[in-house]
Amino acid sequence: MTDKTSGLTYSSSGVDIDAGNRLVDLIKPMVRATARAGADAEIGGFGGLFDLKAAGFKDPVLVAATDGVGTKVKIAIETGVHGGIGIDLVAMSVNDLVVQGAEPLFFLDYFACGKLDPEATAAIVAGVAEGCRESGCALIGGETAEMPGLYKDGDYDLAGFAVGAAERGTLLPHKDIAPGDAVIGLASSGVHSNGFSLVRKVVEKSGLAFGDAAPFAPVMTLGGALLAPTKLYVKSCLRAIRETGAIKGLAHITGGGFTDNIPRVLPKHLGVRIALPQVPVLPVFKWLAAEGGIAELELLRTFNCGIGMVAIVRPDAVEAVTGILKEAGESVVTLGEVVAATSDERVVYNGHLDLAL
């Protein structure tokens, strides 16, 4: 075979295999730290393995979820602050598993970029590993794709895939949700990972840079405040589900807010009545509403407004469920109750959000 030393190489086309191998070496200890019963969390093979029997399941139903973090990555790229994005990625999928009563078992990620920066990418994977540890699931595999020409240098996107399980007959929501059931809310940690196309428009309108002090949190930069990682609700909600048996349904408040997400766990003939003054509106949402001139109903359908998870609870068990959630570190408020749906508007709002700065 003739060795054409002047010929093209994969590296000259923009893909650095050595950088990929260096990344794997950097992240192996992080991945290994997510090991749990059923998985050793070792990477490097062609597929990840999980043993349901070793995890303690007898007659499991598998539940799968996938998501990304949307244009929040643009702020991470512009600020160079990447670690929290990995937590966001895990949270967006595992929070969707727990609303179905499932325990997250394992997670895989997909990372695509224009030019691989092993150190920056390792920071993202470190966040993924942290999110997995906090949720009790193993990071058993992933894919890194370097695609020059499709992504600019410095740009990236990522997606996550989570699989969980629940014993047959224990999945949520329950079929016995009825008028009079209580609706309680678990506080969010910030904007989480939805609505960032609108967030970035508001920032642009404000004339502020991401490195400027946040008007709603002056001890932080605007970029740092907006990048607060999505809250993980897995352990607290699983504990409340298992110890009380009184949670009939859960709704993860993501894109669509209260308006679109709560009806997803209700029978077609039911809705909820929400007392908006009870919502603990975070300062970031007050600033977004004021700076962007965002109407209240638009705010409620775009953002979590301060409530990242909603639970439908048997009315005689509200105190017990609330107590366990608070012991697990959650801030909990009573928002309203389940009612008969009298129209297509299945989420009825009473009063108004406290948007005073």
Side-chain angles (χ1 to χ4, degrees):
M1 180 180 291
T2 302
D3 182 12
K4 297 182 178 180
T5 57
S6 60
L8 292 175
T9 66
Y10 210 8
S11 179
S12 69
S13 69
V15 178
D16 188 344
I17 294 175
D18 290 335
N21 291 335
R22 187 161 68 254
L23 172 63
V24 172
D25 289 339
L26 288 171
I27 66 176
K28 275 187 175 180
M30 307 172 194
V31 174
R32 195 171 293 124
T34 70
R36 55 152 292 162
D40 60 12
E42 289 290 338
I43 58 171
F46 288 95
L49 304 178
F50 193 92
D51 185 342
L52 283 165
K53 186 175 181 180
F57 287 91
K58 296 178 176 61
D59 186 18
V61 175
L62 294 179
V63 183
T66 183
D67 211 337
V69 297
T71 60
K72 189 174 185 178
V73 297
K74 290 286 289 181
I75 300 177
I77 291 167
E78 290 188 34
T79 60
V81 179
H82 304 289
I85 286 291
I87 297 174
D88 288 313
L89 186 66
V90 175
M92 293 305 292
S93 286
V94 297
N95 285 343
D96 280 354
L97 294 183
V98 76
V99 301
Q100 295 176 232
E103 174 188 338
L105 302 177
F106 60 86
F107 189 86
L108 301 98
D109 59 7
Y110 173 80
F111 178 87
C113 62
K115 183 174 178 58
L116 185 62
D117 180 337
E119 283 68 31
T121 308
I124 296 169
V125 176
V128 172
E130 181 179 346
C132 286
R133 287 195 305 272
E134 290 186 25
S135 304
C137 65
L139 178 57
I140 66 169
E143 171 66 9
T144 301
E146 195 172 16
M147 296 188 283
L150 185 58
Y151 293 90
K152 295 185 297 184
D153 285 0
D155 279 356
Y156 65 81
D157 197 10
L158 63 171
F161 312 87
V163 173
E167 294 292 356
R168 195 175 304 276
T170 66
L171 289 170
L172 297 179
H174 292 172
K175 294 180 179 180
D176 62 347
I177 296 175
D181 284 339
V183 179
I184 65 175
L186 284 64
S188 69
S189 57
V191 185
H192 285 183
S193 301
N194 299 99
F196 273 87
S197 294
L198 179 54
V199 169
R200 291 184 301 108
K201 284 285 187 183
V202 173
V203 172
E204 181 182 350
K205 178 179 180 292
S206 74
L208 293 171
F210 290 121
D212 292 337
F216 51 89
V219 298
M220 302 182 70
T221 64
L222 179 58
L226 293 173
L227 287 171
T230 304
K231 188 168 179 53
L232 292 152
Y233 297 100
V234 171
K235 289 186 176 178
S236 60
C237 286
L238 282 178
R239 180 181 167 191
I241 291 167
R242 292 166 174 171
E243 292 187 17
T244 69
I247 292 181
K248 297 184 176 185
L250 290 166
H252 186 198
I253 307 303
T254 55
F258 292 166
T259 306
D260 290 348
N261 284 298
I262 298 176
R264 294 169 68 182
V265 302
L266 298 174
K268 297 294 185 184
H269 65 288
L270 296 179
V272 294
R273 183 181 294 114
I274 301 293
L276 292 181
Q278 294 294 105
V279 176
V281 183
L282 296 173
V284 60
F285 297 115
K286 297 181 181 185
W287 178 76
L288 289 168
E291 188 66 39
I294 304 171
E296 184 178 60
L297 289 177
E298 181 70 14
L299 206 69
L300 286 161
R301 199 180 182 191
T302 306
F303 299 114
N304 67 65
C305 296
I307 295 292
M309 185 73 74
V310 164
I312 310 297
V313 179
R314 202 174 66 226
D316 64 344
V318 171
E319 186 175 346
V321 171
T322 298
I324 288 172
L325 290 171
K326 287 182 176 179
E327 282 181 13
E330 303 291 353
S331 295
V332 186
V333 295
T334 300
L335 295 173
E337 64 177 345
V338 175
V339 296
T342 57
S343 68
D344 292 336
E345 301 297 328
R346 297 175 66 202
V347 179
V348 178
Y349 298 113
N350 288 342
H352 294 281
L353 295 170
D354 176 10
L355 297 176
L357 290 168

